[in-house]
Amino acid sequence: MEQARKTHHLRQTDFRVIMEDENQVEVSFTKTWDLSMGKSTVPLTVDKRYILRRGQSGLYLYTILERLEGWPDVDMDQIRVVFKLQKFHYMALSDSRRRTMPMPEDRTRGQPLAYPEAVLLTKPINPELRGEVDDKYQYSCEDKDNKVHGWIAEDPPVGFWMITPSNEFRVGGPNKQDLTSHVGPVVLNMFTSTHYAGKDLNTAYRNGEPWKKVLGPVFVYLNSVSPKEDSLLLWEDAKEQMSVEVNQWPYDFPQSEDFPSSDQRGAVTGQLLVRDRYINGRPIHASSAYVGLAAPGDVGSWQTEAKGYQFWIRADRYGHFVIKNVRAGIYSLYAWVPGVIGDYKYEANITVTGSRIRLGHLVYEPPRNGPTLWDIGTPDRSAAEFYVPDGYPTLMNKLYTGDPAEKFRQYGLWSRYSDLYPNDDLVYTIGISNVKDWFFAHVTREAGNNTYDSTTWRIIFELENVNRNENYTLRLALASATASEIQVRFNNPSSVLPLFTTGAIGKDNAIARHGIHGLYWLYGIDVPGSQLVEGKNTVYLTQSRSDGPFHGVMYDYIRLEGPRGT
């Protein structure tokens, strides 16, 4: 756990056996905070639980953290479980993301790059790794996909795996990205972190705020094969074990009364539809929508929520959803639909008990004032469809050289913008350009001597007719923002005051950390018809903050709408 840039290891002072029989042992290590401890340790009561079960090759672990009312302020930016291994060299995160990894001393002898996590391997023990970049953030993963990862040792062939059967105790929703495994060898389970979100994620506890949360259980799984067998069978077995654990959730064997069993949980069902009168006269199915329950809040607040539990599911092709095994509590129901801008929130809070709540048909009306005159991109909260350049040949991670969908994980892609646009900035012409003409990140330009210039992108479009007495609407959806400010001007790049500015936004650092998205931002900008002309028009998008190479945004989707009622 990190508090004010300090790491607290949550060492315990008391031990007891919770239960013990021929099939299971559960033990507890606890520490109770009181005012006499002052700032020497984080103000939390901690109960760490470990469970061994007969016939299970591994260890279940969970933690109960609690703050009582009136306790001192604290920021808990990271809460994690860390295992440091020996003799493990092969790491696996998914079928396409697995490889032999460098050794810790390889990083020590390597060449530091733009930030401490990134190192060029110049003298690795394994010569096949020479010339590669190692950076733990290249192995990040969205929480929805982060169910099993770990390591394989060869002599003897043994696997060590972190299995997370549920994301209910994680933060920031299903698309929140976080660390997995990396050089060490290190295995992590990140219960809470500000990675790919920054301090916009609410990890601050103020004014004596009480809090209690159960983190886990997760399963540390160990497996082995004979030396004559292929060691990659360990990965296949780990995936099978992960499926077993997921299907057994919620577990019925933890002894803490703070972890409810399935008969103490409820469910919420319904069908989500989308009504956009400019797309279809009737509501359409919210196919594959992300639908979730999280702490009550504003529209979209789930992505910065870190204190409560969250329960997410993908709707089917018809928008039907069943959110099962929900802890009792008060929630808001949130959703977002791939291909549709904005966020949905059900109008009333939902109180979940041990029963099923049927919401019936729900209709989401996304932001819309008028017909689409033109758009750029796909509203999916990612910049993946845009142009992601090849990495520098001397700064590659070979794991990602053969998969175009993972190319964004290469080091240094932010610098490629200056290579491609050394003097003039990006120009996109509606009706001529396509999404691969749009660079994936709107970043600064290198100006030499560690200085950087702001950049202005142009969108050129034609209008046959202009209603100068009505407002048009520019929808600006961002997939990421880091210490940036987007200023919008129409047809007058030298205007001292922009038509619109986001102001200083974003702390997710996704550009530097090889993410293709961070937090989602959506703006609706009124554009007076008097600022448009018949014929050629230009939108100027200026990223005005230029203190470093990582200041910038990733666009998700941009749309110009005609006047209301057109």
Side-chain angles (χ1 to χ4, degrees):
M1 174 177 299
E2 295 189 0
Q3 174 197 10
R5 297 179 181 266
K6 294 181 180 179
T7 299
H8 295 259
H9 294 286
L10 301 182
R11 293 185 174 90
Q12 279 60 64
T13 57
D14 299 289
F15 161 78
R16 64 190 177 108
V17 177
I18 301 297
M19 68 91 66
E20 180 182 10
D21 62 23
E22 65 275 14
N23 295 314
Q24 179 172 321
V25 174
E26 179 169 340
V27 297
S28 167
F29 297 85
T30 59
K31 175 193 73 85
T32 301
W33 188 87
D34 61 55
L35 287 171
S36 66
M37 296 179 178
K39 296 182 179 180
S40 62
T41 185
V42 65
L44 281 175
T45 289
V46 181
D47 184 355
K48 293 183 181 180
R49 300 289 185 99
Y50 299 90
I51 302 172
L52 290 173
R53 306 193 74 215
R54 182 177 297 278
Q56 292 291 85
S57 180
L59 173 72
Y60 293 90
L61 56 93
Y62 65 110
T63 301
I64 306 157
L65 302 179
E66 184 175 15
R67 282 173 47 85
L68 298 184
E69 187 173 0
W71 283 9
D73 293 352
V74 66
D75 287 53
M76 293 187 284
D77 291 350
Q78 290 194 31
I79 306 174
R80 64 192 183 190
V81 174
V82 184
F83 288 89
K84 180 71 179 292
L85 310 179
Q86 300 288 335
K87 298 185 177 181
F88 288 79
H89 303 300
Y90 190 90
M91 186 181 77
L93 313 178
S94 70
D95 287 340
S96 61
R97 300 176 71 194
R98 57 190 191 187
R99 62 167 298 167
T100 299
M101 292 291 287
M103 299 294 291
E105 50 266 47
D106 295 341
R107 289 180 53 86
T108 302
R109 291 194 296 258
Q111 175 185 334
L113 296 173
Y115 43 84
E117 293 87 352
V119 172
L120 178 63
L121 305 176
T122 56
K123 298 178 181 179
I125 295 171
N126 182 347
E128 293 184 1
L129 303 180
R130 182 178 293 114
E132 288 200 56
V133 169
D134 179 72
D135 182 345
K136 65 182 180 181
Y137 291 105
Q138 292 179 316
Y139 304 108
S140 296
C141 180
E142 288 189 350
D143 282 347
K144 67 180 176 60
D145 302 319
N146 185 5
K147 296 178 180 179
V148 57
H149 61 89
W151 293 80
I152 295 173
E154 292 292 341
D155 187 19
V158 173
F160 186 102
W161 309 101
M162 179 63 71
I163 294 178
T164 307
S166 170
N167 284 324
E168 69 178 46
F169 41 81
R170 285 177 167 160
V171 304
N175 307 102
K176 168 77 165 62
Q177 298 163 95
D178 226 319
L179 298 174
T180 55
S181 292
H182 59 80
V183 168
V186 167
V187 178
L188 295 168
N189 200 312
M190 304 297 298
F191 296 128
T192 295
S193 92
T194 54
H195 297 142
Y196 301 94
K199 289 297 287 182
D200 288 317
L201 189 80
N202 184 14
T203 59
Y205 297 79
R206 298 289 185 268
N207 303 316
E209 176 185 1
W211 175 74
K212 190 175 188 180
K213 191 172 184 179
V214 178
L215 306 176
V218 298
F219 186 40
V220 177
Y221 179 57
L222 305 175
N223 57 2
S224 63
V225 294
S226 75
K228 295 181 181 180
E229 295 181 279
D230 185 351
S231 61
L232 286 179
L233 292 173
L234 298 170
W235 166 242
E236 298 300 323
D237 176 66
K239 291 188 295 179
E240 293 179 7
Q241 187 64 40
M242 176 269 290
S243 296
V244 170
E245 303 299 326
V246 169
N247 290 331
Q248 290 181 347
W249 187 270
Y251 298 135
D252 59 5
F253 52 83
Q255 297 299 299
S256 172
E257 63 183 14
D258 293 309
F259 183 76
S261 58
S262 59
D263 61 355
Q264 298 172 302
R265 296 173 178 241
V268 177
T269 70
Q271 182 185 24
L272 184 63
L273 305 171
V274 177
R275 180 188 293 130
D276 184 336
R277 67 185 185 277
Y278 287 98
I279 299 298
N280 196 303
R282 310 174 76 180
I284 60 175
H285 300 132
S287 178
S288 300
Y290 290 85
V291 186
L293 296 168
D298 297 330
V299 173
S301 62
W302 54 268
Q303 69 171 346
T304 56
E305 207 288 308
K307 297 177 181 179
Y309 300 95
Q310 297 201 21
F311 302 86
W312 288 86
I313 196 73
R314 295 293 298 272
D316 67 14
R317 60 184 295 190
Y318 302 108
H320 294 109
F321 62 88
V322 180
I323 308 175
K324 301 178 180 178
N325 296 315
V326 181
R327 284 171 163 267
I330 300 174
Y331 301 91
S332 288
L333 181 95
Y334 304 95
W336 71 272
V337 187
V340 180
I341 65 169
D343 278 275
Y344 171 80
K345 178 178 178 287
Y346 186 60
E347 64 267 18
N349 288 341
I350 297 172
T351 300
V352 175
T353 57
S355 60
R356 177 173 293 232
I357 297 172
R358 295 174 172 84
L359 298 179
H361 298 328
L362 310 177
V363 179
Y364 171 47
E365 296 187 8
R368 169 74 78 172
N369 286 335
T372 299
L373 301 181
W374 53 259
D375 59 2
I376 300 173
T378 301
D380 59 3
R381 303 181 180 230
S382 166
E385 71 269 31
F386 298 126
Y387 177 67
V388 179
D390 292 333
Y392 293 102
T394 56
L395 295 171
M396 300 293 279
N397 183 319
K398 293 179 182 177
L399 181 62
Y400 303 121
T401 56
D403 187 352
E406 300 282 0
K407 189 163 59 170
F408 66 88
R409 300 187 190 277
Q410 295 288 5
Y411 174 84
L413 298 185
W414 56 87
S415 293
R416 293 301 319 279
Y417 181 80
S418 296
D419 299 336
L420 294 168
Y421 300 93
N423 300 306
D424 298 319
D425 285 317
L426 183 148
V427 178
Y428 188 98
T429 302
I430 300 298
I432 297 176
S433 304
N434 61 59
V435 292
K436 295 305 180 184
D437 297 316
W438 188 271
F439 198 76
F440 80 103
H442 190 165
V443 291
T444 55
R445 178 188 292 104
E446 297 173 9
N449 297 319
N450 290 320
T451 63
Y452 301 87
D453 292 334
S454 62
T455 51
T456 297
W457 292 10
R458 287 178 285 165
I459 304 171
I460 298 173
F461 62 98
E462 299 273 344
L463 291 178
E464 291 186 6
N465 300 290
V466 174
N467 186 336
R468 298 181 64 83
N469 297 317
E470 299 288 343
N471 281 343
Y472 292 65
T473 305
L474 184 70
R475 304 286 177 191
L476 188 66
L478 306 180
S480 169
T482 301
S484 53
E485 177 183 359
I486 298 298
Q487 298 177 354
V488 180
R489 294 173 173 85
F490 275 77
N491 292 324
N492 186 1
S494 59
S495 173
V496 175
L497 295 177
L499 172 67
F500 171 83
T501 176
T502 61
I505 57 168
K507 304 170 185 176
D508 63 43
N509 212 19
I511 293 170
R513 289 177 171 175
H514 324 294
I516 200 63
H517 69 84
L519 294 184
Y520 179 72
W521 306 76
L522 178 62
Y523 301 94
I525 304 164
D526 289 336
V527 182
S530 59
Q531 293 211 9
L532 302 173
V533 298
E534 294 180 356
K536 180 180 175 181
N537 292 264
T538 304
V539 182
Y540 297 89
L541 301 175
T542 299
Q543 201 301 94
S544 62
R545 307 281 170 140
S546 57
D547 293 335
F550 308 125
H551 294 231
V553 304
M554 298 182 204
Y555 296 99
D556 168 41
Y557 178 69
I558 304 174
R559 181 172 77 204
L560 182 66
E561 299 171 8
R564 186 185 300 273
T566 303

